[in-house]
Amino acid sequence: MIFSRASSVARRHAVTMAPRSFSARSALPAAMADRLCKYIDALDDRSEPVVRLMNADEVRSKFNEAGISMSLLGNQAAQSQDALMEATELLLRYSVRTGHPFFFNQLYARADPVSIAADWCSVATNTNCHTYEVAPVYTIMEREVLAKIASLIGGDYTGTHDGLFVPGGSLSNLYGMHLARNRADPEILTRGAVGGPQLVAFTSDQSHYSYLKNARLTGIGSNNLIAIESDEFGRLSPEKLEAAVLQAKAEGKRPFFVGSTSGSTVLGAYDQLTEIADICKRHDMWQHVDSCWGGSVLCSEKYKHNMAGAHLVDSIAWNPHKMMGTTLQCSAFITRHANVLESTNGTQAAYLFQPDKLNRELDSGDKTIQCGRKTDMFKLWLQWKAKGDAGMAASVDHCFAIAEHMANKIRTDTTGAWKLAYEPSCTNVCFWYVPEKLRPFNGMAATQAERDEINKVAPLIKNEMQRQGDAMIGFQAVNGRPNFFRIVFASCDIVSLDDVDGLMERIARIGDEQYAALLA
Ligand SMILES: *Cc1c(COP(=O)(O)O)cnc(C)c1O
């Protein structure tokens, strides 16, 4: 009786509350899915531009011309499905095709199609994974994916670990520093970041800038984040680290955290984790590894030696959304210390984590510094199931094979056109293209005037390639080296050795043309 009254109330609401265009709007997902499947299939097309370069006014005017302005100000009329699809069409057309085989700009690239499908499922179920009661399946999957990652790390991680999927690597690194800070100074949670020991953290000068942001956020302060000069490969030097730790101790400070890196953002350098673990043990410091970029080697028997000693560290950050091509964002934080997340971050909010409800012990929400959280684990879980361990390893190995092919071509070049700016450690290849007029170029042995000229070349090539919609590749200057290209091979299953050869020919042609035009 009560039940039927309730459902008739629901029916009445459904009738009176539904806006007129409701049925048209619910047809949109099907139209969108169909369009996006075509978009994904067309990503292989090398004749499509990677980018249709436009400034902000040009983008706005494309939308105006199509009759659907960017602005949401003023009185907005309800738009038809056709208009919504037209806006989507423009978005697809003028967004950078990060799934294009020639998108080498960042540490992420083409999204794995299985993870795209999983991501669609995540948003269709619209699940917040803070509690088991609303996210039973995702919660179990998160534990399983973390257990798999732990098994690849090995050591104590296989037995006990704790972890979370968090919104990006910078946040993963924040978790590492935050747990370390709480361990070194537990009272800071109540007392605040004043009047306690002067905590000091260490990292290399090649580490990700999130360590700096996180030192500010956690109240450590940027003055207490010591950047240790890196070695010739861009690695944290253990000797210099220990000297800095001893000096901080002599000054009465409390060294508490070392932020090591496996696969640095620019150079791809892998710090020596075992040597650093020894130092951390001697001086009672928490060792975190930022393997956001380079952590994918854990999937490969051939390359996991780069992270030897990972099982010794206290916590690890890994972004499958980079080399593995899991859709953005997918970032894992894992620590070998059981229950440390909840004991540090838990507030036992009475309205979410009721102690007397079913399955309370499976809630992940009180481990986080957020409240709600996306279900990013499913994208990696489904991708892993689809590829298997061998497929995951093959994708990593292919990125390395392509990078090695390019580095070898540069090493063996006899024309003076190419020069490595650094020996590659990961799948970042850092190189100079040297226009004919600037040869020979001797890298760091060159005069300042020669380096100043080389400094102009990468931006010239980059700009022209963007104008043409050709490959996107990043460049920068590091440690006195003038601007060099950093091409990154991430999630590059569809990139072939021929693609690399063709790309190098185009870089050379554009480089000579653009530099000649600059001189003219
Ligand atoms: C990309 C990257 C990060 C940051 O990851 P986000 O997900 O972009 O926040 C941190 N560390 C390294 C080494 C990275 O390459």
Side-chain angles (χ1 to χ4, degrees), residues 28 32 35 59 62-64 66-70 79-95:
L28 187 63
M32 186 79 86
R35 179 65 190 92
V59 174
K62 291 289 178 194
F63 277 72
N64 284 335
I68 183 158
S69 103
M70 277 278 190
Q79 297 284 340
S80 68
Q81 178 173 320
D82 285 350
L84 304 180
M85 283 309 293
E86 178 63 24
T88 305
E89 207 56 56
L90 292 170
L91 179 134
L92 293 176
R93 186 170 173 80
Y94 297 112
S95 291

Side-chain angles (χ1 to χ4, degrees), residues 1-12:
M1 196 58 206
I2 290 171
F3 176 75
S4 77
R5 228 177 60 211
S7 63
S8 77
V9 168
R11 255 202 314 278
R12 205 168 60 236

